[in-house]
Amino acid sequence: MTAKVPKGVAKSALRKVHGGSRRQEYSASTRRALVDVATDLFTDRGYAGTSLDEIVAGARVTKGALYHHFSGKQALFESVFEKVEERAARDIHRAVRGNHDPWEKALGGLRAFLEVLQEPGYRRIVIADGPAVLGYERYREQEERTTFGIVQEIVSSVLATYELEPSMVETFSRVFFGAMSAAGAAVSSAEDTRKAGAEVEAAIAYILAGLRAMAESGAPLPGPADLVDDTAGTLADEDDDGVDVDEPGDAPDAS
């Protein structure tokens, strides 16, 4: 059964483009129609459940016209993926730029990202189908091209107090970027995406609150050595106080 595509989608996508030759206008309109219709179908049915026949029927073009613009279904999906990712990045970037305080900027970006995750198209195309269709390397390349820069901007702003080396800021950015990607997958697959999003926001806000408290108190960022539990030292102190700590090979006390 062919999925129904709203007539307005194909008509608006096939509207004239001002400037350029008539052939260029038609070519641009055809490509836009194919991407718009494919976006709707991939959202509703997923990549595997959508056929090229349904896409060309919805866009009201021939299959030959599709192959003129795209080498196949995967290439068309990649254009759809880019469209959805770029739109999400614009929304998140707008929220980030709307705040001058670094901590509010971080929370604003987080909330915008979690709101993007409520969109069915983003969840299905970017989170669910993206990695499998594009492959891990290509997926990461596309993701970093659109959203990694935003994470870098937020992290640089939050950590400005510490005057860290650029390489360390890059490391922090990649850690947070990985955490956000994992959070996105968890929220998108949750039965209740709103509840899952609220829990992610609470968890990351807790981490940001700790960083903010440290920054405002002037405390330096701890290094790995600062986080090691000195268990060995504690045992040594007990031994010095007269507590009998058996050494390996000691014979048991006679009773």
Side-chain angles (χ1 to χ4, degrees), residues 25-66:
E25 292 173 0
Y26 182 76
S27 179
S29 295
T30 299
R31 182 184 179 88
R32 185 167 55 248
L34 288 165
V35 171
D36 288 349
V37 171
T39 300
D40 289 343
L41 290 174
F42 287 148
T43 297
D44 292 339
R45 295 183 164 214
Y47 180 81
T50 300
S51 70
L52 290 181
D53 287 336
E54 291 173 315
I55 293 172
V56 297
R60 299 181 182 180
V61 301
T62 65
K63 193 170 286 188
L66 183 148

Side-chain angles (χ1 to χ4, degrees), residues 177-252:
F177 184 68
M180 294 302 294
S181 295
V187 171
S188 65
S189 62
E191 184 174 339
D192 186 340
T193 57
R194 285 290 176 187
K195 179 182 178 183
E199 290 174 347
V200 168
E201 181 178 348
I204 296 181
Y206 183 81
I207 294 171
L208 288 174
L211 284 173
R212 183 171 190 172
M214 290 175 60
E216 292 178 348
S217 69
L221 287 174
D226 300 318
L227 303 177
V228 174
D229 182 15
D230 191 13
T231 305
T234 302
L235 290 175
D237 290 343
E238 290 179 355
D239 193 23
D240 290 342
D241 290 338
V243 177
D244 185 16
V245 179
D246 290 338
E247 295 294 335
D250 283 353

Side-chain angles (χ1 to χ4, degrees), residues 22 27 103 158 191:
R22 187 181 298 273
S27 179
W103 306 102
V158 166
E191 184 174 339

Side-chain angles (χ1 to χ4, degrees), residues 108-188:
L110 170 63
R111 287 166 182 156
F113 172 67
L114 293 174
E115 196 59 37
V116 163
L117 290 175
Q118 302 304 318
E119 298 175 7
Y122 191 90
R123 293 204 304 270
R124 177 67 79 105
I125 293 167
V126 176
I127 303 295
D129 285 345
V133 178
L134 300 180
Y136 180 80
E137 292 299 327
R138 184 63 175 151
Y139 175 76
R140 282 301 181 198
E141 178 185 316
Q142 289 280 16
E143 196 178 37
E144 290 198 12
R145 186 176 65 83
T146 52
T147 53
F148 181 65
I150 301 174
V151 174
Q152 277 187 311
E153 179 182 345
I154 292 173
V155 171
S156 297
S157 179
V158 166
L159 297 178
T161 305
Y162 293 106
E163 299 181 356
L164 299 174
E165 292 291 327
S167 61
M168 194 61 184
V169 175
E170 172 81 4
T171 299
F172 266 102
S173 298
R174 293 208 170 274
V175 168
F176 273 97
F177 184 68
M180 294 302 294
S181 295
V187 171
S188 65

